[in-house]
Amino acid sequence: MRVLLIGANGYIGRFVADRLLADPAVQLTALGRGDDADVRFDLASGSPGALTRFLDAVHPGVVVNCAGATRGGARELTRHNTVAVATVCEALRRSGCGARLVQIGCSAEYGPSQHGSSTAEDAVPRPGGPYGVSKLAATELVLGSGLDAVVLRVFSPAGPGTPAGSPLGRLAEAMRRAMQSGDGELRLGGLGAQRDFVDVRDVARAVHAASLSAAQGVINIGSGRAVRLRDAAATLARVAGYGGALHELDGPPGALRPVIGHPRAESVAHRTDVLGHRAETTGHHRADTVGHRVDGLGPRSDDHPAPVAYPYPDGCGSWQQADVRTARDRLGWRPRINLEESLADIWMEAACRI
């Protein structure tokens, strides 16, 4: 089976490439913008005609699209997540290769969901931000294309290669800095959010299974279990061997919730606030808390506090949990790697920078 993989250099694409290359029945061709791609092509600016000619020459049986952007303004997200997919769909319609399309979607397409619920594929999508909107538009293009196609809606990927700018990546980096500098306390914000984490290697297994299956439509890829970020932080501290105290900044101004450990008076001046949150809400915080400004990951000014930035700016609110029964029934897929193993691999990469 010849597979054309688009976006092989991305976070998910790298693991999809490894998984497909491990299958001796797969002949893999990588298409992307980087120099190490087998064929260089920019979906956001390239023409459907040019891609059609390439498809007719290579004649793949499956096209897997892992390309896209997670950050940027609405225009940039639309170019890379929606226009690019329109190019793929149009090229496949024009081509005579008859390839199956496996498109990587995301849980941000659903938007906020009710606390305690599991989101199934028939839920009405209500994305809460431009990223989710751009990905949902891409999904609708795929579903309306008339192609043999499936969209895998991936929830919150974790594990090796986790981007440093992601919530888990920033958490690991903050812990690494605290351990390297001997900080006895770490202040964390935004730990109340609950997300469905799924290891990126399990995502790659799902892509492989979808490539071989006849399943169409939308299929959720997740663990089926929401985990509070504060629990993930405590687990990461344990696997990292961090002996300091973690304090959560969520709640009313000045409120401190212990996550693990206990505050030590001598380490008040060595506290780090990560994940974008500050203790200050009006340029200062209450004197009955600790009486000192919270130090962050870079220079700060009490006179010019930065705005609060939540760790999950995906427009999905405080809760997401996937209903993964469709993946089990139609792909024969189940997640295998637990979150602790994913976090351990994230920490191993962060620890290499110490």
Side-chain angles (χ1 to χ4, degrees):
M1 177 177 65
R2 184 177 293 278
V3 178
L4 175 64
L5 175 59
I6 304 172
N9 292 326
Y11 173 37
I12 292 177
R14 292 195 300 271
F15 290 92
V16 170
D18 290 344
R19 178 73 186 186
L20 294 175
L21 287 170
D23 184 347
V26 171
Q27 295 177 291
L28 185 66
T29 301
L31 182 147
R33 292 179 293 172
D35 293 335
D36 50 353
D38 296 322
V39 178
R40 293 190 63 181
F41 187 83
D42 187 349
L43 288 177
S45 59
S47 71
L51 183 57
T52 299
R53 290 190 291 275
F54 175 73
L55 290 171
D56 288 338
V58 175
H59 214 78
V62 178
V63 173
V64 178
N65 183 25
C66 295
T70 58
R71 297 185 178 188
R75 177 176 296 181
E76 184 178 3
L77 291 169
T78 300
R79 284 184 62 244
H80 291 287
N81 295 336
T82 309
V83 174
V85 172
T87 298
V88 173
C89 290
E90 180 60 25
L92 283 169
R93 278 196 297 264
R94 296 182 186 181
S95 172
C97 68
R100 171 174 171 78
L101 174 61
V102 179
Q103 166 71 17
I104 303 301
C106 71
S107 61
E109 297 174 42
Y110 288 120
S113 55
Q114 183 178 358
H115 189 276
S117 66
S118 292
T119 302
E121 291 83 357
D122 60 358
V124 177
R126 294 186 176 90
Y131 172 61
V133 169
S134 68
K135 292 293 288 185
L136 177 60
T139 292
E140 294 299 329
L141 286 170
V142 171
L143 298 181
S145 66
L147 300 169
D148 174 13
V150 63
V151 178
L152 302 183
R153 274 192 180 140
V154 178
F155 276 63
S156 298
T162 293
S166 71
L168 292 180
R170 295 204 303 272
L171 179 59
E173 176 62 14
M175 201 164 291
R176 178 195 70 79
R177 292 185 181 187
M179 294 178 70
Q180 188 170 11
S181 61
D183 289 346
E185 288 190 328
L186 193 59
R187 287 191 176 190
L188 310 172
L191 299 187
Q194 297 181 70
R195 288 294 183 270
D196 187 327
F197 295 105
V198 57
D199 194 274
V200 67
R201 292 160 291 192
D202 281 334
V203 174
R205 287 180 42 247
V207 172
H208 188 200
S211 300
L212 300 173
S213 79
Q216 296 186 344
V218 174
I219 300 178
N220 289 340
I221 303 298
S223 69
R225 183 173 69 95
V227 175
R228 199 178 299 273
L229 197 57
R230 75 168 63 101
D231 296 329
T235 300
L236 183 61
R238 185 174 70 252
V239 300
Y242 178 63
L246 302 185
H247 286 290
E248 183 178 354
L249 297 179
D250 291 348
L256 292 177
R257 182 203 303 267
V259 179
I260 63 171
H262 301 282
R264 297 200 301 265
E266 70 270 20
S267 59
V268 165
H270 300 286
R271 292 175 174 172
T272 306
D273 171 26
V274 299
L275 302 182
H277 276 264
R278 304 286 181 99
E280 306 95 328
T281 57
T282 59
H284 63 279
H285 59 264
R286 289 164 44 180
D288 58 350
T289 308
V290 291
H292 296 278
R293 181 174 62 86
V294 178
D295 291 327
L297 301 183
R300 296 187 178 177
S301 168
D302 286 329
D303 297 327
H304 300 90
V308 171
Y310 291 93
Y312 277 92
D314 55 7
C316 294
S318 62
W319 171 275
Q320 267 203 333
Q321 179 173 282
D323 182 331
V324 293
R325 289 175 294 179
T326 301
R328 178 195 63 198
D329 296 341
R330 299 176 65 187
L331 300 181
W333 176 90
R334 297 174 186 266
R336 294 178 180 172
I337 301 173
N338 61 38
L339 181 57
E340 183 166 351
E341 182 176 344
S342 301
L343 291 171
D345 288 329
I346 292 173
W347 173 248
M348 284 295 293
E349 294 182 345
C352 289
R353 296 191 290 271
I354 293 181

